[in-house]
Amino acid sequence: MLDQGAPPQSRTPSGPPSPGLGARLMRRKPVERLVAEGGQGEGGTLRRSLGLWQLTMISIGATLGTGIFVVLGEAVPKAGPAVTLSFVIAGLTALFSALSYAELAGTIPVSGSSYSYAYATMGELIAWICGWCLVLEYGVSVAAVAVGWGEYLNELLDGTIGVTIPDALSAPPGDGGVFNLPALIVVLLAMAFLLGGAKESARANTIMVVVKIAALLMFCAIGVQGFRSGNYEHFMPLGMAGVSAAGATLFFSYIGFDAASTAGEEAKNAQRDLPRAIMLSLVIVTALYVVVAAVAVGAMPWQGFGDSEAALSGIMKDVTGQTVWGTLLAAGAVIAIASVVLTVLYGQTRILFAMSRDGLVPKVFSRVHPKTGAPRANTVIVSLFCGVLAAAIPLGQLADATSIGTLFAFALVNIAVVVLRRTRPEMDRTFRVPLSPLLPVLGFAFCVWMMCSLSAVTWVVFGVWMAVGLVFYFSYGHRRSKLASPGSPAIADTAAIPEK
């Protein structure tokens, strides 16, 4: 018989005590549940319609164009002619992470990309931080790329009809503009394609990818005619610090293979095709980046790159003495950048789709339209946000903010591979990182090194973004998480959960 005078806390509880805060933050979503929920949304399911070719084109579409058409003018003044080495370093860093992505994409073929991988291996809090980084990475990347679209559009308009959009409406604030209207327009065009569904968007992207590869090959064929070896005499004028700083800025150009991994729930055979698409696209893009950058610096002194985001078009005019070639390249760049906006915006919507399905963000982001099989409300909300951001923020700040979010997410993916190998060694893996854990550890180290090369302002912005994300998580996502509901299967560290 219980002592009626005993304090309440000494009485026998009616059931097992609730897990503590630490255990709730470390709860992991089982891989089997992640895969079983693939494609399921509010009111409908995503359609599996993408094969290896479409996945590879999505990866190339999200990658090829950004670093070479837009950010080259930002990176060359930091590294000089050694910007080619910056592309190699950024590509090598991306390669280590791409190997980890390829293994996880084949093992956990779902839409959430590194967010889902972290949820299965490191717990809900780390998954949220990763997902919040991806929101920064993708959302700001769309805006950063869209900012550079207006300058190439003006090059095209000037070369065809002799009319340009005034700087007040075609340049970002801080660079002589008031509101970057072309940046908003290209995001809204991408939104229109995405609302039609993944298959239709992939078809349009494939056409655009072919056009921009042709445009870059044309640039190489013509630009090499103006090559001057003297432009490489002082190869590394700003030292290795400049090379790594440029590499960190350029790294956000390599998020394409991450975009391919977000298509895991719309791929016909995700476990087979995603690893292949990731590796194939990275090799193609890195080779093109290095070759085009080498030709560009050889054709124009590195000091001249800081004046224009449409540097390649200007080089074509200088080499040929004619405007027609620069106009053709500008047309290719307009299509190339639109392709990047389309595919990166696609990736952003699918990551929010996965986070919404887990309850960490509002349900509206996982609502699927029954006719198109696309998350329409998600697409409209994200597009409007990114479009306004693109129209109002300068390019350089956007590019660096994207880079730090990308590098942080990639660092977590390299850790996730090692953790999953140790916790679930029996799982079938269609691709395995060679020399694991050495290569994932190197990938993690490279990401941290490049993060340290970014400016203090970028770190402050990143810190503020993380703080805002944690406030949102603890006030909304932590309480509404699907794993928080009674009876929901989850994996947690037993040491953190009291015994029954």
Side-chain angles (χ1 to χ4, degrees):
M1 181 175 180
L2 291 175
D3 180 5
Q4 299 297 319
Q9 61 268 27
S10 66
R11 296 176 181 175
T12 303
S14 59
S18 300
L21 176 62
R24 295 198 303 272
L25 297 180
M26 292 296 292
R27 58 194 175 202
R28 289 176 279 150
K29 190 171 183 179
V31 174
E32 291 77 10
R33 180 173 174 181
L34 279 167
V35 176
E37 291 179 352
Q40 298 177 20
E42 293 288 328
T45 58
L46 301 176
R47 296 178 181 173
R48 293 192 177 275
S49 58
L50 305 177
L52 175 61
W53 173 252
Q54 290 93 340
L55 292 170
T56 304
M57 290 299 103
I58 287 174
S59 187
I60 295 176
T63 307
L64 186 59
T66 310
I68 209 68
F69 281 112
V70 180
V71 189
L72 188 64
E74 297 275 338
V76 173
K78 296 180 181 180
V83 71
T84 52
L85 183 57
S86 298
F87 272 114
V88 172
I89 291 174
L92 184 61
T93 304
L95 174 61
F96 288 135
S97 297
L99 291 169
S100 296
Y101 265 96
E103 176 169 327
L104 291 173
T107 309
I108 314 174
V110 293
S111 287
S113 183
S114 49
Y115 155 77
S116 295
Y117 309 152
Y119 213 165
T121 57
M122 291 177 281
E124 186 172 284
L125 179 61
I126 300 299
W128 168 263
I129 292 172
C130 187
W132 194 244
C133 282
L134 291 174
V135 171
L136 176 69
E137 171 190 333
Y138 276 89
V140 179
S141 178
V142 170
V145 176
V147 166
W149 193 70
E151 190 155 353
Y152 276 105
L153 180 63
N154 265 342
E155 290 278 341
L156 178 60
L157 293 174
D158 185 42
T160 52
I161 61 177
V163 176
T164 59
I165 303 171
D167 286 346
L169 294 177
S170 63
D175 291 340
V178 177
F179 189 82
N180 194 331
L181 184 61
L184 176 60
I185 290 173
V186 71
V187 174
L188 294 180
L189 288 173
M191 179 187 75
F193 279 112
L194 291 174
L195 290 176
K199 185 176 182 180
E200 291 72 16
S201 302
R203 185 181 296 116
N205 173 66
T206 298
I207 296 171
M208 290 190 281
V209 167
V210 171
V211 169
K212 66 182 175 182
I213 290 177
L216 288 174
L217 293 177
M218 179 188 70
F219 169 81
C220 292
I222 295 175
V224 74
Q225 299 175 30
F227 192 92
R228 297 178 181 86
S229 59
N231 290 341
Y232 279 94
E233 286 184 357
H234 302 287
F235 182 69
M236 201 180 293
L238 302 174
M240 196 61 197
V243 172
S244 62
T249 297
L250 291 168
F251 191 79
F252 97 107
S253 308
Y254 284 91
I255 69 172
F257 60 83
D258 185 281
S261 70
T262 66
E265 295 174 21
E266 290 161 286
K268 295 176 182 177
N269 190 338
Q271 289 183 304
R272 182 196 67 188
D273 292 340
L274 280 177
R276 296 178 181 181
I278 288 170
M279 300 311 300
L280 182 60
S281 63
L282 184 64
V283 171
I284 293 172
V285 167
T286 302
L288 279 170
Y289 273 166
V290 172
V291 172
V292 173
V295 172
V297 175
M300 185 169 76
W302 68 271
Q303 297 89 341
F305 277 83
D307 299 331
S308 172
E309 273 129 21
L312 298 189
S313 182
I315 291 172
M316 294 280 278
K317 291 180 181 178
D318 292 341
V319 170
T320 63
Q322 300 176 2
T323 60
V324 62
W325 296 107
T327 301
L328 284 174
L329 187 73
V334 166
I335 294 172
I337 297 169
S339 171
V340 176
V341 171
L342 173 66
T343 49
V344 175
L345 193 63
Y346 167 84
Q348 172 71 99
T349 59
R350 270 47 180 184
I351 287 166
L352 284 171
F353 175 88
M355 296 177 73
S356 173
R357 185 172 57 203
D358 292 333
L360 302 185
V361 298
K363 289 183 179 180
V364 66
F365 291 101
S366 57
R367 192 174 298 153
V368 177
H369 192 273
K371 183 177 180 181
T372 62
R376 281 194 169 183
N378 180 344
T379 301
V380 171
I381 293 170
V382 171
S383 300
L384 292 177
F385 172 80
C386 293
V388 172
L389 189 66
I393 304 295
L395 172 63
Q397 297 176 19
L398 289 174
D400 284 349
T402 306
S403 289
I404 197 167
T406 304
L407 288 163
F408 190 86
F410 284 10
L412 291 179
V413 168
N414 284 295
I415 296 174
V417 166
V418 178
V419 172
L420 195 64
R421 285 276 190 100
R422 292 179 65 86
T423 58
R424 300 294 303 275
E426 80 287 354
M427 291 188 67
D428 291 332
R429 289 167 170 84
T430 56
F431 177 86
R432 299 178 70 92
V433 179
L435 302 178
S436 180
L438 175 61
L439 292 188
V441 169
L442 285 175
F444 174 81
F446 267 76
C447 288
V448 172
W449 173 53
M450 295 190 76
M451 287 176 72
C452 293
S453 300
L454 294 168
S455 68
V457 174
T458 302
W459 275 95
V460 170
V461 171
F462 182 66
V464 171
W465 178 258
M466 285 292 101
V468 172
L470 289 174
V471 170
F472 186 90
Y473 171 70
F474 283 107
S475 61
Y476 182 92
H478 179 65
R479 294 183 293 107
R480 296 175 182 264
S481 168
K482 294 291 180 65
L483 292 188
S485 53
S488 178
I491 303 172
D493 292 335
T494 54
I497 303 178
E499 296 290 331
K500 293 183 178 181

